[in-house]
Amino acid sequence: MEWQPDEQGLQQVLQLLKDSQSPDTATQRAVQEKLEQLNQFPDFNNYLIFVLTSLKSEDEPTRSLSGLILKNNVKAHYQNFPPLVADFIKRECLNNIGDPSPLIRATIGILITTIASKGELQTWPELLPQLCNLLNSEDYNTCEGSFGALQKICEDSSELLDSDALNRPLNIMIPKFLQFFKHCSPKIRSHAIACVNQFIISRAQALMDNIDTFIESLFALAGDEDCEVRKNVCRALVMLLEVRIDRLIPHMHSIIQYMLQRTQDPDENVSLEACEFWLTLAEQPICKEALSGHLVQLIPILVNGMKYSEIDIILLKGDVEEEDDTVPDSEQDIKPRFHKSRTVTLQHEGGEGEEGEDDEDEDDDDDTLSDWNLRKCSAAALDVLANVFRDDLLPHLLPLLKGLLFHPDWVVKESGILVLGAIAEGCMQGMVPYLPELMPHLIQCLCDKKALVRSIACWTLSRYAHWVVGQPPDSHLKPLMTELLKRILDGNKRVQEAACSAFATLEEEACTELVPYLSFILDTLVFAFGKYQHKNLLILYDAIGTLADSVGHHLNQPEYIEKLMPPLIAKWNELKDEDKDLFPLLECLSSVATALQNGFLPYCEPVYQRCVTLVQKTLAQAMMYSQQPEQYEAPDKDFMIVALDLLSGLAEGLGAHVDQLVARSNVMTLLFQCMQDTMPEVRQSSFALLGDLTKACFPHICLSPPLGLSVSPPWVCLSPPPWVCVEMQPYVSMVLNQLVEIINRPNTPKTLLENTAITIGRLGYVCPQEVVYVTTKHPDLHDDWCKPWRRGPG
């Protein structure tokens, strides 16, 4: 007998659904408690599906909410649903997929997909055939609802649909979808393209077998009047460009013309999808040949797309002269921060990450607008095309650029400054003759009354920092530095952020050129400590750390130390051990400690002890988690990594002065544990610290556990030790065997190979007999690996 609800129970559920829509916090809390109680009764889910699919007398938001609560229950408890309950829910979903309400159809589609994602595609064999069969229904609602559910399944389970586990249903589904490209309803056409699009990047065989029909069908929809259809057509062509360019090359001229139109589409979702085409094309070998004749049309379109839209200006308060630096940041405005190791970058997949690479998107000038938009995409496209065409791009761009940069409308002028920044890398050589005239104008734009103009001027100037530093200091460096420091103290937080980031870039380029101005620079950065809100304070740490890296020991002057250290130590004392704001502060202190050398001595003991405590706490948490994972949370090992890196900075900066600190602590025991950690970044920072401690206090290393045993785990990034000395003699054979094993591993990252070879070379320089003895036992140690150290240590 079919399940039927009890009337009293149904009314309770309806009341609960109505209460859950209340804005009152206490009511919401009571609803959550009641939901937890009801979830103990399996047939509660029957009531929820009944309200969603059968109780058409209720309003749509209440019915949809019932379905969303059921979806959450499926995600959390589906494995505990009795078979009768699960079967009832599945049956009701399929019987009501054609509900007259678009909201209810979409909710049922989401519920079907959630059930399917719980491994039910294999145990719900009638689902896909029935949904595909319902596509043939003459009832529009049934066809659209079925397509909506299929689109969600294709998005969530694309790999499974193309597997033997389900007998490859795509062989039937792809041809079926292609038939609906000509459907009279734009919504159905859009669903059909979106379904097929899910299988382009994975090169599903069923799609590859029908690729020509697919492409012909896309071309037939090129002029479709529906914006969602046009968006999906553009998305398909962009992905095909990446995976099946061979099929597009014969039609490339027509496709480019089409994308030029669509990049100017009045619907921004369409224009954004089309703009992605230029980014993808720039990565293809045929780009230069295919686009050369179209640059005269493309460049003005991209430049026009780089203007702020009206909605951007409203969101960013671009027309409001706002000083907001006294307004506290909301925590959701602050992106999660992850520690970046100070040692060599090591990519996990065997790539060749090199020192100095920056994984962050340094060109993201619109941080406040986190969503990818047409402005960002146009700027990125111009950037990559500048790297393809180099100075050949300038004849198409320079006539536009002058009009933009000096335009009376600030929105247009701002876009021109962005254009100038976007082409900086690719067109630098061709821009050099114009920079002496442009640079003073850009520096003047740092004082513009519009905050968004000041902000973008900071970013663009940072892109030309290398050229600035190459000129006589008084011509551009000094004026630029002076104005950037003023902007660091700007009344607008967005400008502060851009100025701080730009100044950090200038510091990296200028290095010791900044030494004559250190007092002035430190006055500004220290003043910013008292001015900045939370988010920009984290960026300020980076600017200070970069300054220390750039000027090195020149920072070790009593005058500078007295300015810099009190605010840093004050922040250090404010933060708790669990606060992730420690990451940027510890990174900053690591650079400062290295630069100040013995000037850091008055501050070293509490800093050292806290770092050791952080390492010890994290190791203890890791131990508890490994023994009782159900009771303890996994530790955030970034705390340990950042502490190890600061200890490295202390050892490097203080040298022999660190000896007493090491002697009075258990750091060597902790370091030995860290070297055996499962996380590569922990081992990497551990070996870097080992190298710095060995330089500073070798006797403590001699007395520590057999460190050679820690070299064996894969992906350890050795820090090539310039400290190797004859005291290493008793340990050479033990360490060297491990090094030889690493150097002969297949697919070892280039950085690791080079560092291992250098280490072997330095061992050979001080212990030649021992190295010769070990390496002669390894005839497979190739001569090529010895080349990096033949010049001798240094």
Side-chain angles (χ1 to χ4, degrees), residues 681-724:
E681 292 83 358
V682 174
R683 299 201 302 275
Q684 178 173 314
S685 292
S686 303
F687 275 91
L689 176 56
L690 171 64
D692 288 320
L693 286 177
T694 310
K695 280 188 288 183
C697 48
F698 185 77
H700 292 293
I701 307 301
C702 292
L703 299 173
S704 57
L707 297 173
L709 298 178
S710 305
V711 182
S712 55
W715 312 118
V716 171
C717 190
L718 295 167
S719 180
W723 38 265
V724 175

Side-chain angles (χ1 to χ4, degrees), residues 200-231:
I200 297 175
I201 295 298
S202 63
R203 294 180 171 88
Q205 190 58 50
L207 178 56
M208 295 302 106
D209 291 344
N210 292 274
I211 194 71
D212 291 327
T213 306
F214 177 44
I215 292 172
E216 288 169 14
S217 302
L218 287 174
F219 290 165
L221 291 172
D224 201 285
E225 61 188 29
D226 183 78
C227 58
E228 197 67 21
V229 172
R230 295 198 303 273
K231 183 185 82 172

